[in-house]
Structure formats: structure tokens, C-alpha cells
Amino acid sequence: MKRTILLFLGIVMLGLNPVNAQKNHLPKTGNDRFSIKIQPFMGGYLDPSGNIVDIDPNAPTGLNIGVEFPSSRQRPWQQYLNDPTVGLGMTYMNLGNDVMGEGIALYPYIMLPAVRLKHFQMHIKLASGLIAVNGHYKATINEPIPNRTFGSWLNAYLSGGLNLDFPITRNFTINTELGFSHISNGRMAEPNKGANILYGGVGLIATINPEEGEEKPAVKFPSLPYKWSMNVTAAAGVQNADLADTRKFLVSTFHVGAIYNVTNWYGVGAGVDVFFNDAVSSETSRNLYCPKHQYTNAQKTRVGVSWNNELKFGDVTAMVDWGVYLINPVRHFYEVDHTAYGCDHRLPLFYKSEGPGGQETCHYIRFGVKYRIWDNLYIQALAKTHRHIAEFIEFGIGYQIPFLRKDNRKGNGMIFHHRRGWWND
């Protein structure tokens, strides 16, 4: 077997030699560059849950590895965002002891430039992906104190931070990063207390093919061909209501929102959201809803108005919405005999939350990403939370209706159609 592998590698190398010889006659370009980042880090749990405190783990440590690609300067969003760097990352994380376990995360990320000097650069890093952990609840249930932080082996991984780069040569850069990571499953499985980690690391970036050459000139793109757009989205997901109840309940969302593009990369607007959560039930053991009341489908439905924000990265858009419920039948019922409201009495429209495990807040946050798969059509993934407490994760499909400016309409062309390669028109 070893001889076969060596023979195969020899054939591959012989095959590559003519290719390399041919490439050596081609001019190098700055757009051929990419970098490999290796960065050890150490962190600490930020506002740890009671379960993490009981387990008392050591400080989480790990290793960030990334492959980064500088801007090719050939796309509108790259120009609008001052030529950011994109990358694919992998993180190994030791969460502090055998009960908390270890995790491996895979994620794409973007580095937004803030300061660019000859010997110093500062970037804002945003990352989103998935992490697999081996210290989840079911794997530690026989421990004296099981890990109630993660209810499933697969979780969402969100991270953001500040990167400081100190170039040594064209090939090597010292990199430092101060960041924040969040790990949870969005209540798709209980328990779901989640972990918030503040970390810092120092590493090295090696740039491959850094030779200076004939870079492609930056293309000057026009502004977006529309100022206003309307989004119509339908989404659904599942929720696990409580640790003692393994059933999955349907959740769904219908959203309509209008967005005004303040700049080519940022839009703001307002929307209307309709939510349905079948986990709103007296039959669950979550101890959140009134056990004396049988909830109807109408009482499991909430309607809210939201303030919508969009950050545009080409076909990818990041969204953060904040909303307030205007119709919220769940507030009419309380799980315990509350001193002010009782069990079957109406809470005020704007009420104070009783904290984790209690009555959910009167407002909500939705954040996530959407991706244009064809012209105006997009898919999206979002998480809905009440303050820092997740309610569910949803996946959906939507349609963007752009209102094209008059000077961007082609003859008798459609007013509401936005082609993906619109800048080539």
C-alpha cells in the first residue's frame, strides 16, 4: 500500500511540473494571493449559566485556522465596502474539562477594513457557521453534574471580533484578535442554555504568492439601481419545548417589510411579522403557559411591527430586526397565580419579563442571513430571540421586489425586476 501511495504521488508531481513550468511564464497578479492564518487563543465564559458555574470548567482554549482571500476588486459589494477580505475558518475549542467537552466549528467569515497603514491594519471580523460538540447533555447524562449547556451535538456558531495585523514582510504578518463567540442550538433541542465566550489570541498569517505584479484595476461600479425594495418571506422551523418533552413543535413566520437603501451596503426600514408557535400549549412541561387553559391556534399566533436593518455583501445580506408585539394573546394567561395578573388575567401590552423560564418579553429580535439564489428570489436562515433568550431558528424563502429608478429601467422592461448581474447591463 505504501509503495502504491508513493508511486501515485510521484506521478502527480511529474504531472504538475509541466503545469508549474507553464505557469512560471505567466505574469503574477495581485489577485492570485491568498493567506493561511493560524492563531492559538484563550478565553473565558461571559455571564456563565448556573450549569457552567456548577461544573466549574477551566478557561476555554483552542486554535483558529483560516484561509483568507483578499478582494478581487471586481464586484460591486467589494467596492462599496472598501475591499474587504473573505475567508473560510475552522476552530478547535477545548471548553474547559471532560464534561464541557470539545468542539470543532466550520464557518465563512468576512474582514471589514477599518484602518490600513503600511505597518498596521485593523479589521472587524464577522463569522457565522456550525459547531459540533461532544460534551452535550445526552453524552454527559451519567455525570454527577451533566452538561445542560448544550442540548445537541450540532449547534450554531456566531463570532465577531477585532483583528490587529502587524506586517513583518510581504509573506508574514503577526495577527492578534479579540473576539466574542456564541454557541447554542436556538431551542431546537433542550437544554439550550448556550455559551458566550470572550477570547483573545495571537497568531501568524502567511501570504501565498505575494509577488507584486499587474493587478487588475479596480472596476468602478454604479450605485444600486433602486432605492426602495419590499421583502416578502415565509419561513418555518421546529422548537423543543422542554427537556422532559422530546416532541418537536412547528414554528412559522410570515414577514413583509419595506427597505430604504441609505447607502449601497446598508438599508433600513420597517416590517410586519406574523408568528405561529405550536409550542404555546398547556400540554408542555415547560412551566411557561397557563395549565388551566387550552390554547387555540389563534392564541398561538403573534403579530408585531419591526425595525429592519440590512447589511449587503453582494448576494449575501445580513439582517437584524427589532420588533414589538401588537397582538400577543399569550400575554392574557400566566403560568402561576401572579399577584397582579392572576392566571387568566391580561398582562399589559408592554410588560416586564420574569427572566429565563418565565414569561417572554413583549419585544423580539430576529437576526440572520439571506442569499439570492436567482435574481429577486432568496433563501434565508434567521434566529428569533427575546432579548438574549432564543425562541427558535427558522429557514425560509422569499422574494425581493425592488422599485427601480426611472433611469435604470430598460425601455418597457419590468419596474420590479433586479437581475443578479445588473452592473453588466
Side-chain angles (χ1 to χ4, degrees):
M1 176 63 71
K2 185 181 295 185
R3 290 182 178 178
T4 303
I5 295 175
L6 291 174
L7 178 61
F8 174 76
L9 291 175
I11 293 173
V12 171
M13 294 301 294
L14 289 172
L16 287 176
N17 281 335
V19 176
N20 290 332
Q22 183 179 2
K23 290 181 68 175
N24 287 336
H25 290 89
L26 298 176
K28 297 283 189 180
T29 70
N31 298 311
D32 294 331
R33 297 191 306 268
F34 69 95
S35 301
I36 297 176
K37 176 190 291 183
I38 299 178
Q39 180 193 84
F41 68 87
M42 177 179 289
Y45 289 102
L46 185 66
D47 187 26
S49 67
N51 180 246
I52 293 178
V53 172
D54 291 340
I55 296 174
D56 191 24
N58 297 319
T61 58
L63 182 69
N64 291 324
I65 300 175
V67 180
E68 298 181 349
F69 304 90
S71 170
S72 66
R73 311 171 76 196
Q74 306 300 308
R75 290 289 185 270
W77 68 274
Q78 295 172 331
Q79 179 188 115
Y80 301 153
L81 292 169
N82 195 23
D83 291 323
T85 295
V86 296
L88 297 174
M90 181 180 74
T91 294
Y92 162 77
M93 189 178 297
N94 185 318
L95 294 164
N97 57 31
D98 292 340
V99 178
M100 292 296 294
E102 301 166 302
I104 295 180
L106 297 173
Y107 49 88
Y109 62 91
I110 187 168
M111 307 280 289
L112 300 173
V115 177
R116 277 181 175 156
L117 302 174
K118 183 176 181 180
H119 300 292
F120 172 73
Q121 297 178 4
M122 182 169 68
H123 294 82
I124 299 171
K125 178 182 177 182
L126 301 174
S128 177
L130 298 173
I131 183 169
V133 297
N134 59 8
H136 54 88
Y137 176 74
K138 291 182 180 179
T140 62
I141 194 170
N142 294 322
E143 296 285 342
I145 303 177
N147 184 4
R148 296 176 180 268
T149 304
F150 311 121
S152 62
W153 68 273
L154 188 63
N155 296 266
Y157 177 83
L158 303 174
S159 182
L162 194 65
N163 273 245
L164 306 179
D165 294 344
F166 302 90
I168 303 172
T169 68
R170 288 187 312 188
N171 299 75
F172 296 104
T173 298
I174 294 176
N175 168 262
T176 65
E177 182 173 328
L178 178 65
F180 167 81
S181 295
H182 172 78
I183 305 172
S184 71
N185 65 55
R187 205 180 282 178
M188 295 182 70
E190 290 288 349
N192 183 47
K193 297 182 181 297
N196 299 307
I197 298 171
L198 188 66
Y199 68 90
V202 178
L204 189 67
I205 299 175
T207 300
I208 310 301
N209 195 16
E211 289 82 2
E212 295 180 354
E214 299 177 2
E215 290 192 7
K216 293 181 181 179
V219 178
K220 281 293 184 182
F221 293 97
S223 295
L224 288 176
Y226 57 91
K227 268 292 183 182
W228 284 93
S229 62
M230 180 175 290
N231 298 320
V232 181
T233 313
V238 295
Q239 183 193 69
N240 182 201
D242 190 75
L243 180 61
D245 191 341
T246 59
R247 289 179 297 170
K248 303 290 185 183
F249 294 90
L250 172 69
V251 295
S252 59
T253 301
F254 181 75
H255 168 83
V256 177
I259 293 292
Y260 174 76
N261 294 291
V262 181
T263 68
N264 289 319
W265 55 269
Y266 171 68
V268 63
V272 177
D273 304 297
V274 180
F275 306 106
F276 175 80
N277 189 344
D278 200 36
V280 177
S281 172
S282 60
E283 298 177 0
T284 66
S285 54
R286 190 180 167 197
N287 295 326
L288 175 59
Y289 308 112
C290 182
K292 301 178 183 179
H293 183 79
Q294 190 65 36
Y295 292 87
T296 65
N297 285 338
Q299 291 169 340
K300 298 178 181 181
T301 302
R302 298 169 173 173
V303 179
V305 293
S306 57
W307 173 42
N308 306 151
N309 298 272
E310 292 190 349
L311 299 175
K312 304 174 187 297
F313 307 98
D315 290 336
V316 178
T317 299
M319 298 169 288
V320 180
D321 301 343
W322 178 80
V324 176
Y325 295 116
L326 296 183
I327 300 175
N328 185 11
V330 176
R331 70 186 176 90
H332 297 183
F333 309 98
Y334 212 83
E335 188 271 327
V336 297
D337 191 13
H338 195 280
T339 55
Y341 313 120
C343 184
D344 296 322
H345 289 73
R346 180 190 296 266
L347 287 150
L349 183 62
F350 305 108
Y351 54 86
K352 184 179 179 180
S353 170
E354 295 296 313
Q359 180 70 37
E360 294 166 332
T361 58
C362 59
H363 56 90
Y364 57 92
I365 298 171
R366 297 169 73 230
F367 62 92
V369 295
K370 64 181 180 182
Y371 177 74
R372 292 177 61 192
I373 55 176
W374 175 81
D375 290 353
N376 298 9
L377 193 68
Y378 59 85
I379 55 176
Q380 74 173 33
L382 277 85
K384 178 172 180 259
T385 72
H386 295 110
R387 295 191 303 182
H388 62 286
I389 303 169
E391 183 182 1
F392 58 76
I393 294 177
E394 62 184 32
F395 302 91
I397 189 168
Y399 196 82
Q400 180 195 53
I401 306 174
F403 296 87
L404 296 181
R405 300 186 180 108
K406 289 184 178 180
D407 55 345
N408 291 113
R409 302 173 192 169
K410 301 296 181 181
N412 296 323
M414 294 179 62
I415 298 176
F416 307 120
H417 187 72
H418 180 213
R419 196 168 65 82
R420 287 184 74 181
W422 57 271
W423 61 89
N424 292 321
D425 291 338

